[in-house]
Structure formats: C-alpha cells, structure tokens
Amino acid sequence: KNQVEQSPQSLIILEGKNCTLQCNYTVSPFSNLRWYKQDTGRGPVSLTIMTFSENTKSNGRYTATLDADTKQSSLHITASQLSDSASYICVVSDRGSTLGRLYFGRGTQLTVWP
Amino acid sequence: EADIYQTPRYLVIGTGKKITLECSQTMGHDKMYWYQQDPGMELHLIHYSYGVNSTEKGDLSSESTVSRIRTEHFPLTLESARPSHTSQYLCASSIPWKTNEKLFFGSGTQLSVL
C-alpha cells in the first residue's frame, strides 16, 4: 500500500530557532514530492515541488531535501517566525495515471512560540 | 498564484438539508478537484474534473455529487446532509507542471451537520 508518513506529529519551537520535519514514503512509482503549508482553517499552499532528480530545493527560509533511494524527504525551516505556525504536509505523486495520483501525509503541526 | 474561491467558509445545518458548496477559479484551469479533510488527517480526493461536462469520483467514496457546466465553476452538492458529512471540504484547480500538475487550493468550507 502506498503511504506517506510524517514525523513528528507535532512540534513546538521558540521563535528564531531552526527545525526539521521528516517525510518517509513508500509510493511507487515515484514522480515528485511536494511540501505544503496549511494555516488553520485555510487551504494548503505549495512550498516546494521536487522531482526524483532534485536533491534540494529552497523557498526563502524553507529548504526541502529528497533522497529518492531511501524514499525520505525533509523540510528545514530556518530562523522560525510566529507566522510559520501551521501544518506542513508532505505529498507524493506517482506516475500511475494521467492524473498523477497524489498521496498525502497527515502533516506535522508546528507551533512557534515567542 | 491562482485565484480560487470557496463559499461559504463555514456552514452549520441540520440533518436532511440539501446543500451546495461553491467553488470558482478565475485562471481558466481545466482540471478541478474536491478534497475532504478531517482534523489531523490526510486529504482525501472525492471528486475531480478534467474539463466541462467531465466529472469523476475520487478515491474516497462520497455521497456528494458535482457538476462542471462552466470551466470556472465546480460546485459540490449533498442532497441530504448527515452528521457523518461533517468535515472540511477543499476545492483545488491545477495547471500542467513538468510531467505532473501544480495544485492550487481554495480556503475551504468547514461543514457541520447537526
């Protein structure tokens, strides 16, 4: 069964600190991996999209890494801000259909305290 | 970024009522989707459309129905709402990106059925 597992489930850090969120997947075949940020009560917003040939991709203070061999990805947040408080969702796409089916993780709930 | 709008943001209704959740996008995207999300859980695809007059059921069985009469409009209807339908409903549209799709989400409708 294709799955996307994220850890930790929740995380609390102080403003200004760095943190790393993990995503392990078993989806096969693999097309790309996405990280989304979802604020409470809002829809997800795309942070990064990486294909199997990309190891690292940055978007401001967000840096995603991908190891397609071990089927692991991480999202590193640098110098956290209060506005980073949100759920971060890992999504993996396969190549099994023209739709490019998406497999969603349950997210890591990040809380940044002042 | 795509402009995709969902109304209402919040809806509280009684059992047995018929409801329609609205979703519109102004970017001319052909593909549109409805996802269902419960707290702390992953998004589940319930309906999608490749274009006008095209609708398909998603991975998660749903008693809702959808229609696509216009490119920009993709409403979701529940003929008789039940408490089990209480959830957040997210609409999305997509554009081709490399070999897959880049997904844009609306802000969601939080539905509570009493």
Side-chain angles (χ1 to χ4, degrees):
Chain A
K1 180 180 177 183
N2 288 320
Q3 285 187 324
V4 177
E5 301 288 342
Q6 293 187 242
S7 62
Q9 184 176 353
S10 62
L11 180 64
I12 299 174
I13 62 173
L14 294 177
E15 186 178 15
K17 298 297 185 182
N18 304 335
C19 67
T20 300
L21 314 180
Q22 300 291 342
C23 174
N24 297 336
Y25 63 92
T26 60
V27 176
S28 181
F30 171 85
S31 177
N32 60 70
L33 185 145
R34 312 153 188 242
W35 283 95
Y36 284 86
K37 177 186 179 186
Q38 184 176 21
D39 293 318
T40 300
R42 313 289 294 189
V45 175
S46 178
L47 294 175
T48 63
I49 304 176
M50 289 186 295
T51 62
F52 68 90
S53 61
E54 297 175 297
N55 295 324
T56 303
K57 182 164 281 190
S58 293
N59 178 0
R61 295 180 296 102
Y62 301 102
T63 300
T65 64
L66 173 65
D67 186 334
D69 291 330
T70 62
K71 298 188 176 181
Q72 295 179 327
S73 176
S74 64
L75 181 68
H76 186 74
I77 303 175
T78 304
S80 61
Q81 300 176 356
L82 298 179
S83 59
D84 292 332
S85 295
S87 178
Y88 291 84
I89 302 173
C90 177
V91 185
V92 180
S93 176
D94 68 11
R95 296 173 293 180
S97 71
T98 57
L99 180 63
R101 181 174 174 173
L102 302 179
Y103 296 86
F104 289 81
R106 295 185 177 184
T108 291
Q109 184 64 48
L110 175 66
T111 303
V112 181
W113 283 1
Chain B
E1 294 292 332
D3 292 322
I4 181 164
Y5 308 99
Q6 289 187 244
T7 57
R9 286 292 312 280
Y10 305 94
L11 180 61
V12 181
I13 60 169
T15 297
K17 299 293 185 182
K18 177 181 178 179
I19 62 166
T20 297
L21 308 184
E22 301 288 346
C23 176
S24 296
Q25 50 95 5
T26 60
M27 301 303 290
H29 294 172
D30 286 328
K31 294 183 180 180
M32 297 189 72
Y33 312 82
W34 276 102
Y35 287 89
Q36 186 173 342
Q37 184 183 31
D38 293 319
M41 302 297 287
E42 63 268 42
L43 277 72
H44 290 286
L45 180 67
I46 53 176
H47 297 283
Y48 61 95
S49 168
Y50 284 146
V52 172
N53 293 326
S54 155
T55 61
E56 301 286 344
K57 289 188 179 295
D59 307 319
L60 183 67
S61 175
S62 174
E63 295 167 343
S64 59
T65 59
V66 292
S67 62
R68 191 86 182 278
I69 300 174
R70 304 197 315 267
T71 298
E72 62 271 22
H73 195 212
F74 191 39
L76 180 146
T77 298
L78 275 167
E79 290 293 332
S80 179
R82 293 205 300 270
S84 60
H85 295 139
T86 295
S87 187
Q88 183 179 37
Y89 293 84
L90 290 163
C91 180
S93 66
S94 69
I95 55 174
W97 181 83
K98 295 185 179 181
T99 59
N100 279 275
E101 313 286 328
K102 189 170 185 179
L103 211 57
F104 300 92
F105 286 89
S107 295
T109 294
Q110 180 60 53
L111 173 65
S112 297
V113 183
L114 307 178

